[in-house]
Amino acid sequence: MSKQMTAAGITRRHFIVTVGAGSAAAAALIAAGPAKADLAMVEESLSKLIGDATAEDGAEIIRLDLPQIAENGNTVPLGVSIDSPMTPDSYVRHLHVFADGNPRPDVVSFHFSPKSGLAEASTRMRLAQTQNIVAVAEMSDGKVYRTQAEVKVTIGGCGG
C-alpha cells in the first residue's frame, strides 16, 4: 500500500488528524467560556494594592450604592461614599472596587486628597453575572476598611 504525499510532504491522514485536533481544542476553549474571577483573585489583587495590611470591617463607614438586581449587566450604576473628615490629618487616600465574578476582578480605583472635600464617587460598570462587589478604602493613617454587597444580574454584560 502506498501513501500519497502532498506537495508539502504531508499525508492526507496526517492533515486530517492535525485539523481535527485543532478543531477539538478550539471547541473546548469556546465551551469553557471566558475566565471568571473569584474571591481568591480579588484577595490577590487587593494584596498587590495594600500589601500586608489587614482590612477591617468597613460596613459602618463605607456606603455602597448598588442595585440589588441589575437587569442589564452592561451598565450597572455604582456609587461609593466613605464617612471621613477629609482633613490633612485624616482622610481617604484610595478607594478600590472589585467584582469577584467578572473576567478580571479589578473594576476601578479612585484617589483622594484632603482637597477632594468628600470621599465619594460614582460610575457605571459591567458585570458578567451575579456577584459580590467589594469596596476597599485606604486611609491616610494606614488603616484599611472593606465592605461588600451582592448584585444579582439578569443578563450578563461581559458576553454572558
Side-chain angles (χ1 to χ4, degrees):
M1 179 179 234
S2 69
K3 293 183 179 179
Q4 292 184 338
M5 302 290 280
T6 63
I10 300 172
T11 65
R12 180 174 55 182
R13 180 177 301 233
H14 181 74
F15 175 77
I16 291 171
V17 167
T18 302
V19 171
S23 298
L29 287 174
I30 291 170
K36 302 283 188 226
D38 57 13
L39 192 56
M41 291 178 72
V42 169
E43 298 299 332
E44 182 181 328
S45 292
L46 181 59
S47 70
K48 289 178 183 174
L49 294 172
I50 67 170
D52 294 334
T54 303
E56 299 175 28
D57 181 19
E60 295 293 322
I61 65 166
I62 302 172
R63 183 173 167 257
L64 271 172
D65 188 15
L66 291 163
Q68 288 183 338
I69 299 173
E71 292 186 19
N72 183 356
N74 272 320
T75 176
V76 178
L78 163 69
V80 182
S81 61
I82 300 150
D83 185 18
S84 173
M86 299 302 283
T87 62
D89 296 330
S90 177
Y91 62 96
V92 179
R93 294 179 58 204
H94 308 287
L95 169 66
H96 310 287
V97 179
F98 303 94
D100 67 4
N102 273 358
R104 294 184 52 167
D106 308 298
V107 173
V108 66
S109 290
F110 298 102
H111 307 283
F112 300 101
S113 74
K115 293 181 180 178
S116 300
L118 294 172
E120 65 179 47
S122 62
T123 187
R124 294 186 177 270
M125 62 183 167
R126 281 185 172 182
L127 297 179
Q129 62 186 12
T130 296
Q131 58 189 291
N132 293 311
I133 306 304
V134 179
V136 177
E138 292 183 68
M139 311 302 281
S140 60
D141 62 1
K143 290 185 178 177
V144 178
Y145 295 97
R146 172 186 181 151
T147 192
Q148 71 181 45
E150 182 184 62
V151 176
K152 295 180 180 175
V153 177
T154 306
I155 300 172
C158 298

